[in-house]
Amino acid sequence: MLDEKMKLDHLRQMREYRSSLMKKPQLRNLFLELTLRCNERCMHCGSYCGEVQSEELTVEQYRTFLQQVKEDMTTKGKMLDITGGEPLLRKEFFDILGAAHELGFAWGMTSNATLIDDSVARDLKRVGMGTISVSIDGLEETHDAFRRTPGGYKKAMNGIESLIRVGSFDHVQVTTVVTHQNIGQLDELFKIFNEMDIDSWRVINMEPMGRAKQHPELILTKEDYQTLFEFIRNKRIAGEPVTYGCSHYLGMEYEREVRDWYFLCTAGLYTASICANGDIIACLDIERRPEFVQGNILRDRFSDVWENKFQIFRRDLADDNEVCSKCDQKDFCHGDAYHSWDFDNNRPQLCFKDILF
């Protein structure tokens, strides 16, 4: 565990670094939401995915867009993050990612893995997939109920095994959304994943967004959060590849203890996203509001949008709230993550002050 003085020094450096990014952002992660369609209907989905109608760009529209990004910004240091919905439901999936691979983009994907078998895994390897994060949200009965998909757990675990069997991917990760219902299953889940040849286990809390707002009984309690972060910290002390997600400022006690570095909401600083209809936004987890749409790739050059817009994300949310603006952690938290901010009432929906510190 790092001492407080060193953490404070690091956090002050992060504050200055964030200030420099607001003036000169660096695109590192470009999310492509290929579809809003999904074969699961998860209780926490922020995008209300499922059996829905979804506007979808064509292969040629993606190819043109990615060619422009390469010409204007190069592919160096940039990662395409492929998501949905369930991205593998796009019948042109391999055409789109084949084009991205030919253009020299590195890419990874988030998936429920229910559509992955050995043949699909080989095709993913063929078109250059480097990383994948697969969702497993509890033991079998809990996972299937949470994702409202009978048989989903077995299909997802078989998908992971196919990815491992085909091999040669840079990183195969499992992500678990922790709720008040499944937090007691963490130890058993760890035993299961520890016996598999995955590269890391990402453990995150259920966020107060999307469908999750319809299920307040699943939101973690103060005691649950304390249990969650102690679990992650203890596993990391033991050298296990368990990590918390990128979200939320956790205070002096847990910053740098449960993930590799310190909190930084990268929306509009490192991260931009292309919605299924071509809209250009920051992070796909942020509430979909008209004022957050910065353009559309069918009519705007992405590099121009990245350089000249996104100002709504290159600022401190804390300045909009009286309590946050006077908080002694403001310089390190900045109002926390954009995706968990209540923009109607200008306040954070989740703040770890008084929960963890």
Side-chain angles (χ1 to χ4, degrees):
M1 185 172 178
L2 296 177
D3 63 68
E4 186 170 324
K5 183 177 182 299
M6 183 176 291
K7 285 186 178 181
L8 275 171
D9 183 53
H10 288 165
L11 286 166
R12 289 179 182 125
Q13 291 178 45
M14 283 294 292
R15 177 188 62 199
E16 297 305 315
Y17 179 60
R18 185 176 183 275
S19 295
S20 70
L21 283 176
M22 287 194 286
K23 299 171 185 173
K24 194 173 182 180
Q26 302 172 18
L27 181 68
R28 296 188 181 184
N29 295 97
L30 180 56
F31 284 79
L32 303 184
E33 179 187 68
L34 297 191
T35 182
L36 288 174
R37 292 179 291 122
C38 189
N39 55 345
E40 298 188 327
R41 296 182 299 112
C42 304
M43 296 170 72
H44 70 302
C45 183
S47 302
Y48 297 94
C49 297
E51 295 178 4
V52 298
Q53 293 294 317
S54 176
E55 295 182 69
E56 295 172 358
L57 303 176
T58 67
V59 176
E60 284 309 310
Q61 286 169 337
Y62 276 117
R63 190 191 304 274
T64 298
F65 160 68
L66 292 173
Q67 181 66 49
Q68 290 176 356
V69 173
K70 180 177 181 177
E71 290 174 0
D72 298 347
M73 308 173 77
T74 80
T75 62
K76 185 178 180 181
K78 296 173 184 63
M79 180 81 169
L80 298 182
D81 301 281
I82 309 305
T83 186
E86 170 49 50
L88 285 170
L89 283 176
R90 275 299 302 263
K91 63 181 180 180
E92 307 91 352
F93 177 92
F94 290 103
D95 295 325
I96 296 168
L97 275 305
H101 183 49
E102 289 172 9
L103 288 168
F105 284 95
W107 69 274
M109 176 171 67
T110 57
S111 173
N112 60 39
T114 60
L115 302 176
I116 296 176
D117 56 19
D118 286 11
S119 176
V120 172
R122 285 192 289 270
D123 282 338
L124 290 170
K125 183 177 178 180
R126 172 178 57 82
V127 295
M129 186 181 79
T131 66
I132 186 168
S133 186
V134 176
S135 302
I136 299 290
D137 295 321
L139 300 175
E140 184 171 358
E141 183 178 345
T142 303
H143 173 96
D144 288 357
F146 184 66
R147 294 188 155 255
R148 296 189 283 197
T149 308
Y153 177 89
K154 286 182 179 177
K155 290 179 181 178
M157 293 295 277
N158 287 338
I160 295 170
E161 291 294 350
S162 286
L163 292 163
I164 293 170
R165 192 158 43 242
V166 169
S168 297
F169 297 108
D170 296 335
H171 201 100
V172 176
Q173 180 184 78
V174 169
T175 292
T176 297
V177 175
V178 180
T179 70
H180 184 61
Q181 180 185 32
N182 70 11
I183 192 165
Q185 301 175 7
L186 289 176
D187 286 321
E188 198 166 349
L189 286 169
F190 174 78
K191 291 177 184 177
I192 293 170
F193 299 145
N194 198 41
E195 292 175 359
M196 302 172 70
D197 193 21
I198 62 170
D199 295 294
S200 66
W201 183 25
R202 180 171 169 259
V203 185
I204 60 178
N205 56 279
M206 183 170 172
E207 298 282 359
M209 52 187 268
R211 289 196 190 116
K213 291 184 177 181
Q214 301 167 13
H215 301 282
E217 75 281 2
L218 296 179
I219 298 293
L220 297 179
T221 65
K222 178 177 180 177
E223 292 73 22
D224 289 339
Y225 279 118
Q226 293 168 346
T227 297
L228 171 65
F229 290 111
E230 277 302 300
F231 173 85
I232 299 172
R233 177 160 65 180
N234 288 335
K235 291 303 181 188
R236 291 175 67 86
I237 289 172
E240 303 292 349
V242 181
T243 185
Y244 183 58
C246 61
S247 302
H248 306 304
Y249 174 68
L250 306 176
M252 206 61 63
E253 178 75 10
Y254 289 103
E255 279 295 322
R256 188 66 199 284
E257 303 294 323
V258 296
R259 55 191 166 205
D260 291 343
W261 199 237
Y262 298 88
F263 167 68
L264 174 66
C265 181
T266 65
L269 303 179
Y270 284 166
T271 301
S273 302
I274 309 303
C275 297
N277 67 352
D279 281 347
I280 303 169
I281 62 174
C283 171
L284 288 166
D285 285 339
I286 298 173
E287 180 184 355
R288 305 290 174 92
R289 299 168 70 97
E291 63 266 34
F292 294 156
V293 177
Q294 304 299 291
N296 186 289
I297 65 168
L298 300 181
R299 63 174 184 270
D300 301 302
R301 192 92 174 181
F302 174 79
S303 58
D304 291 339
V305 174
W306 178 255
E307 292 295 331
N308 299 308
K309 294 191 177 181
F310 282 96
Q311 297 309 313
I312 194 170
F313 300 104
R314 294 166 186 168
R315 51 187 292 277
D316 276 7
L317 287 168
D319 294 336
D320 295 343
N321 178 276
E322 185 177 0
V323 174
C324 292
S325 65
K326 296 177 181 177
C327 178
D328 60 359
Q329 300 295 303
K330 172 185 177 293
D331 285 349
F332 308 142
C333 170
H334 310 286
D336 207 66
Y338 265 82
H339 74 264
S340 58
W341 188 264
D342 179 348
F343 290 95
D344 290 323
N345 298 295
N346 280 326
R347 62 178 179 82
Q349 296 184 85
L350 178 59
C351 173
F352 280 108
K353 194 171 185 180
D354 299 326
I355 295 178
L356 297 180
F357 61 96

